[in-house]
Each structure stands twice: as structure tokens, then as C-alpha cells.
Amino acid sequence: MKKFEEKTVHSERIYEGKIINLKVDDVTLPNGKQSKRELVEHPGAVAVIAITPDNKLVMVEQYRKALERSIVEIPAGKLEKGEEPAASAKRELEEETGYTAGSFRHIQSFSTSPGFADEVIHLYAAEELKKTEQGAAPDEDEFVELLEVTMEEAEQMMQDGRIYDAKTAFAVLWAKQEIATDN
Amino acid sequence: MKKFEEKTVHSERIYEGKIINLKVDDVTLPNGKQSKRELVEHPGAVAVIAITPDNKLVMVEQYRKALERSIVEIPAGKLEKGEEPAASAKRELEEETGYTAGSFRHIQSFSTSPGFADEVIHLYAAEELKKTEQGAAPDEDEFVELLEVTMEEAEQMMQDGRIYDAKTAFAVLWAKQEIATDN
């Protein structure tokens, strides 16, 4: 797991932000040469593949400034300091969608952009969903629209580009296999 | 696609790097309040799901400084300025693995980290692979090890965390469905 290791010779911190930090590391390559690595630090995130009893996927549409457009994604959120990923995923699901899950399990964790960022997303599957009495309760400055889509609709949204991020693309393929196996 | 749009009031460029740039935008939210968005600009990338005639996946192992470890990924690379994604994907496949493909098609494009980065990966499937005479020809300062893994090995690597990035996790699920449909 350390094959072709790049040792840090010097690290310069460029920016410390609210969510991300940026540093530039000088590294020694396996052939002894030096190179630079521009690296973003991110607290990590959780995301939930939530499947309703009638096999719909719970999604949220929101504006993504980095893309200058709104996209349809599975419910997700940044990890808060010291928070366990599973607890964070349950909290995000309940806040963003108003659902709690009778069945909740870890599916996969993955790096989103290993070339320049340390962000890892912890992905969970939530089934046996029940609506809470108070419903969705997003933060005051969070603007999201809740959707429940069939597998066919989700696949169409991937073709149309309304679904347009890696975790949600993974989730659609995963849910398709999960639902096929269940039936 | 502009639902809940966040209008830019002011944009500050923090860093212009070799690969990524960082800016911080002041935005107006749909409720009129202001907020800040920390945004990474990235040139975009291509990645290739390359399936050999005996249904193995072509992978490369390389060190990822952002994660401080090596991981196993599908062949991928940054888009060069002005380069068409399909041409870039064919070039990366040939340079990194020494394969050319008789069948080459676009599968999906997705944003890797829509919360803070504009990076989009264009994903291609390459089949009917043939080894070129000269074989793999990575850049002088690129250290990658070529692997060809069965679907079972790829799924085991996802469980072990040797496969640990979003595009490759998507690729393994996609290839599983593709191979099942072919047979």
C-alpha cells in the first residue's frame, strides 16, 4: 500500500478555509527526482442510498456552485468533527429527507478525487424506510428539493445528465443490482 | 438546471497552480442571504473501463499523495488543453497499458466532488483489446504497475480497500453488469 511512495520534503500551506484547505507538497519520486503535489484537504462525507418499500430511490436536487447548475443526488453531507460516519449518515438522511431506516448498513467507502483531494465518502444503504412525524428539516440556508424516483427514472436522469456525480452514479448501479437480487 | 441558483457577488482567486486553481466566491442564496463557496478548478479527466477478451479488467496501481498510499484504479488521466475527451482516453489507455481497443464508446460523464470542485471525469469502455508492439509507455516520472484482474478479484479488492476511488468502484459495478449481459 506504500508502493511507489512519494516522500514529503517540504509542505506549504496555501489556504485554510471553512470546509477545505490547500497545501502544496514538494515530494521525492521513486527515481529520486523531485515534483510538486497540489493537495486539497476535506473533512470527508457520508451519503445514503435510500430505497423506499416500493423500490424508489430517495434523491435531493440542489444547486452546486462548483458546476454552476443544480443536479440530482443521493442524500449526503460533510462529516462533522468527531462524528462517526454511520451516525452522520443517519442524521443526514433524517434531516434531508424526513426518513428513518429500519435497515442501515455500510456499503463502500471511496476517495472521490485521489489525484488532488483526500475526501473520502462513506456510503450506506438505508431500507425499511419510515417517515418521521416532523418530516424533512434541512438547515435554514440549505435549499434542497426532495424527489423519489423509480430505477427507470434514475437511469434516464443519468443519460440526461440531471444525475451527474460519481457517488450517485455508483448508487444507481448498486441499487439496480440490489433490487434485482431482492426480487 | 438553475434551480436554487447562487449568484456570484464577488470572486477572489486564492491560488493558480500547475493542475488546480482555488477561488472563494461570495454568493447570494435563494433567500437573499450571503454565503461563501470555496471552489477548486480542475481541467477534467478521462478514465477507461478496459475489458480483455477473457473478461479481465485492466487496472493500474499507483501512489496517490493525497491519500498517502497506493491504490488500484482503472487507467485515467487529466485532460490536456484543447484535447477531445475521446482522443485523450485512447491515448491514456495506450500509454498506460499498451492496449488499443477495437470497440471504444462513451459510458458516462460525472462530477467527482460537486460540493467543492468542478472536475468532471469522462468514462469510456474499451473492448476488443489488442497489445501494441511497443507496450505500455508511461511518462518518465510516472510510476504505475499494470494489473489484469478478474471480476471476482476486483470485487475482493473493493472489499479490501485496494480499489478505493469512486470512478473505479463505478467501473467494477458497470463491468459486472456488462459482462453478465454479454454472456
Side-chain angles (χ1 to χ4, degrees), chain A residues 15-32:
Chain A
Y15 178 77
E16 309 260 333
K18 216 177 114 193
I19 295 167
I20 59 175
N21 306 321
L22 175 66
K23 64 178 179 177
V24 177
D25 282 8
D26 295 308
V27 302
T28 305
L29 301 177
N31 63 2

Side-chain angles (χ1 to χ4, degrees), chain A residues 29 44 47 72 149:
Chain A
L29 301 177
V72 172
V149 303

Side-chain angles (χ1 to χ4, degrees), chain A residues 67-81:
Chain A
L67 306 178
E68 292 291 10
R69 52 174 284 215
S70 59
I71 58 174
V72 172
E73 298 169 63
I74 57 172
K78 283 179 298 294
L79 272 175
E80 316 239 327
K81 221 170 217 162

Side-chain angles (χ1 to χ4, degrees), chain B residues 93-146:
Chain B
L93 179 67
E94 194 169 337
E95 284 177 8
E96 284 201 355
T97 73
Y99 275 120
T100 58
S103 160
F104 202 84
R105 62 198 162 105
H106 179 250
I107 297 301
Q108 193 79 38
S109 294
F110 49 60
S111 157
T112 53
S113 299
F116 69 91
D118 68 356
E119 183 193 32
V120 170
I121 292 186
H122 305 282
L123 199 59
Y124 293 83
E127 294 177 272
E128 300 169 29
L129 300 182
K130 286 208 175 67
K131 276 275 174 199
T132 58
E133 271 182 36
Q134 76 265 34
D139 294 340
E140 192 194 348
D141 289 339
E142 206 171 8
F143 301 90
V144 297
E145 182 171 310
L146 203 59

Side-chain angles (χ1 to χ4, degrees), chain A residues 138-149:
Chain A
D139 293 343
E140 191 195 349
D141 290 337
E142 205 171 10
F143 301 89
V144 296
E145 182 172 309
L146 203 58
L147 295 93
E148 294 184 8
V149 303

Side-chain angles (χ1 to χ4, degrees), chain A residues 48-68:
Chain A
V48 184
I49 308 174
I51 304 175
T52 66
D54 56 347
N55 286 339
K56 287 183 176 170
L57 292 174
V58 183
M59 300 273 186
V60 291
E61 182 164 12
Q62 65 188 307
Y63 195 77
R64 290 304 202 172
K65 188 65 186 168
L67 306 178
E68 292 291 10

